[in-house]
Amino acid sequence: MMNLVEQAINDFFEGEYEKAEKKLRELMKSRKNDPWVWFLKGLINRKKGDNLEALDALETAIKLRKDFVEAWVLRGIILRDLKRFKDALIAFDTAIEIQISNDDYNDYELMLEKAKTYIEMGDKNKARRIIDMVKEINPEDDELKDLEAKLS
């Protein structure tokens, strides 16, 4: 049986944003020290278009749990959206380092996020190097093909 945090996150990813937000309000009263609650708050704020509030929530999640890969990744995505490319790359690299230190690194999707950031920065050479590494892992990835098209 899922706890309330898991239910709220599931609601969010199933597009039930109002249900997720209602659960978040409950959780903010009872589980303020749960990094997943703050991650959910970051997701909801980003969905509402409030990237700065989302970043604040993610900072809290990371303070509560330094090795919170998902929070570091979302932080990187939001920073990239804000055109803070260097900070975004640091967030993605931190997520990768955490995964490696946990013997858990198998997320080529995270590498694609870095490649997208380099493309937005205009650094196609670095983006190409990352894309070439990802091609070795999963040459049939649809997103990989889309990114290659942006490099042409």
Side-chain angles (χ1 to χ4, degrees):
M1 186 166 147
M2 283 190 282
N3 67 38
L4 190 59
V5 177
E6 292 168 332
Q7 290 172 17
I9 290 171
N10 278 349
D11 287 345
F12 179 87
F13 285 112
E14 290 175 5
E16 299 283 345
Y17 307 118
E18 288 178 20
K19 284 172 68 176
E21 192 167 7
K22 182 179 178 190
K23 287 178 177 124
L24 174 64
R25 283 191 295 273
E26 277 181 60
L27 290 163
M28 290 302 292
K29 295 175 190 170
S30 61
R31 296 187 55 184
K32 282 189 100 162
N33 291 325
D34 185 334
W36 284 100
V37 171
W38 289 98
F39 177 74
L40 174 63
K41 185 172 174 57
L43 286 171
I44 289 171
N45 284 330
R46 180 171 188 257
K47 180 68 180 168
K48 289 177 164 183
D50 193 344
N51 283 333
L52 296 179
E53 283 293 318
L55 279 177
D56 285 344
L58 294 170
E59 289 300 319
T60 301
I62 290 167
K63 283 179 187 168
L64 291 169
R65 185 175 149 211
K66 302 269 188 251
D67 67 344
F68 196 168
V69 171
E70 294 86 349
W72 282 105
V73 172
L74 184 56
R75 184 176 189 275
I77 291 168
I78 292 169
L79 289 166
R80 183 181 61 222
D81 290 348
L82 293 171
K83 308 295 185 210
R84 291 175 50 191
F85 300 122
K86 289 181 182 179
D87 292 332
L89 291 170
I90 290 169
F92 294 137
D93 285 339
T94 301
I96 290 169
E97 288 172 21
I98 293 166
Q99 287 181 329
I100 290 170
S101 71
N102 292 338
D103 291 327
D104 190 24
Y105 187 69
N106 59 7
D107 192 356
Y108 70 87
E109 296 289 334
L110 188 46
M111 294 171 69
L112 291 178
E113 293 297 339
K114 282 186 67 174
K116 288 181 207 173
T117 304
Y118 281 123
I119 289 170
E120 285 196 38
M121 290 173 70
D123 193 337
K124 291 184 177 185
N125 290 330
K126 286 184 181 172
R128 167 60 61 203
R129 283 197 297 268
I130 292 172
I131 288 170
D132 288 344
M133 285 190 282
V134 172
K135 279 171 67 173
E136 291 178 22
I137 300 167
N138 187 1
E140 299 304 315
D141 185 270
D142 290 335
E143 192 171 12
L144 178 65
K145 294 173 184 175
D146 292 341
L147 290 176
E148 283 190 301
K150 289 181 180 182
L151 292 177
S152 308

